[in-house]
Amino acid sequence: MMKRVLLKLSGEALAGEKKTGYDEPTVTEVAEQVKQMTDTGIQVGIVVGGGNFWRGRDSDSIDRTKADQIGMLATVMNCIYVSEIFRSVGMKTQVMTPFVCGAFTELFSKDRANRCFEEGMVVFFAGGTGHPYFSTDTGTVLRAVEIEAEGILLAKAVDGVYDSDPKTNPDARKYDEISIQEVIDRKLAVVDLTASIMCMEQKMPMYVFGLNEKDSIVRAVSGPFTGTRITV
């Protein structure tokens, strides 16, 4: 069993069927699963996307740098909200950002994150990398490498990696296991190219699964795992 993991949650998944904002029962279910993990001694870091609030790249009317900055702030809002739901089910949390947010968050450093893990906290890494032109995928892999996580758990709307889009192709084939090199070569877009290459270079495995499946987060670390394991 892994001792430290980085869990990536998409903002859209947290919105549930509403597609925007938050669906509290969904977030509470995530919190309860993570608590099961922390109760067994697993240290958990979390990155939350901002897609339930902002999709700035879809607009040509806003400068790319400004659009990405709005997206970073969306992830800060998400992490603050989700961390409070985590606290409501009995966990201690800390939200960190790569830029100063007044009293809202702590400034990220590896040493500070490690101290939080040692104190039994779930650590939320908000704000991406702190720079434009980098997605939360890249921020996820960067933080996973920095905190020396043993793997990245990718909770998505689909239950794994397919050879084509299962929403449009009923014959799409799901992979139980695939290498990150194959993901890159076949342009499967599990995460963006920058994040994929970083995973390959830093030998960071990923576990892709459907957030809406029962106990899917817990099963990603303790089995039986039914998603897709991306090897390095």
Side-chain angles (χ1 to χ4, degrees), residues 146-168:
E146 287 181 301
I147 67 172
E148 300 177 70
E150 294 175 61
I152 296 172
L153 312 183
L154 288 178
K156 290 181 166 283
V158 294
D159 62 349
V161 180
Y162 287 78
D163 61 359
S164 59
D165 189 348
K167 294 179 181 178
T168 58

Side-chain angles (χ1 to χ4, degrees), residues 24-232:
E24 189 166 322
T26 297
V27 181
T28 301
E29 169 63 23
V30 170
E32 290 171 346
Q33 289 191 63
V34 172
K35 189 172 189 304
Q36 290 182 52
M37 293 161 59
T38 59
D39 284 348
T40 65
I42 299 173
Q43 297 173 339
V44 182
I46 295 180
V47 171
V48 185
N52 54 325
F53 283 119
W54 182 249
R55 282 290 184 186
R57 293 181 186 179
D58 293 339
S59 173
D60 294 327
S61 303
I62 301 174
D63 176 78
R64 170 65 185 271
T65 296
K66 298 302 181 184
D68 284 359
Q69 289 171 344
I70 295 170
M72 292 177 216
L73 293 176
T75 71
V76 175
M77 292 192 298
N78 279 348
C79 283
I80 292 173
Y81 174 84
V82 177
S83 73
E84 285 303 300
I85 300 298
F86 275 43
R87 291 185 183 196
S88 75
V89 301
M91 285 178 282
K92 295 185 293 182
T93 66
Q94 180 64 66
V95 179
M96 292 186 174
T97 48
F99 43 78
V100 176
C101 284
F104 297 154
T105 67
E106 288 283 343
L107 193 62
F108 169 78
S109 77
K110 179 177 179 177
D111 290 342
R112 187 174 288 123
N114 280 334
R115 285 195 296 271
C116 290
F117 285 131
E118 290 165 4
E119 294 172 10
M121 295 184 180
V122 174
V123 184
F124 288 81
F125 301 109
T129 67
H131 300 281
Y133 295 91
F134 293 96
S135 70
T136 51
D137 288 343
T138 303
T140 296
V141 179
L142 176 63
R143 294 292 178 248
V145 171
E146 287 181 301
I147 67 172
E148 300 177 70
E150 294 175 61
I152 296 172
L153 312 183
L154 288 178
K156 290 181 166 283
V158 294
D159 62 349
V161 180
Y162 287 78
D163 61 359
S164 59
D165 189 348
K167 294 179 181 178
T168 58
N169 179 14
D171 297 321
R173 182 170 68 90
K174 179 182 171 183
Y175 298 100
D176 294 326
E177 184 171 294
I178 187 172
S179 72
I180 188 63
Q181 184 65 66
E182 290 179 278
V183 168
I184 295 170
D185 292 344
R186 299 180 184 183
K187 299 180 180 179
L188 297 177
V190 178
V191 291
D192 66 36
L193 183 59
T194 302
S196 296
I197 292 173
M198 189 181 298
C199 278
M200 182 172 62
E201 291 177 340
Q202 301 299 324
K203 301 189 184 306
M204 179 62 64
M206 293 186 286
Y207 301 81
V208 185
F209 56 91
L211 179 62
N212 294 328
E213 293 191 359
K214 182 174 175 56
D215 296 329
S216 59
I217 299 173
V218 173
R219 294 204 312 269
V221 295
S222 60
F225 181 58
T226 58
T228 302
R229 183 174 187 267
I230 301 178
T231 63
V232 292

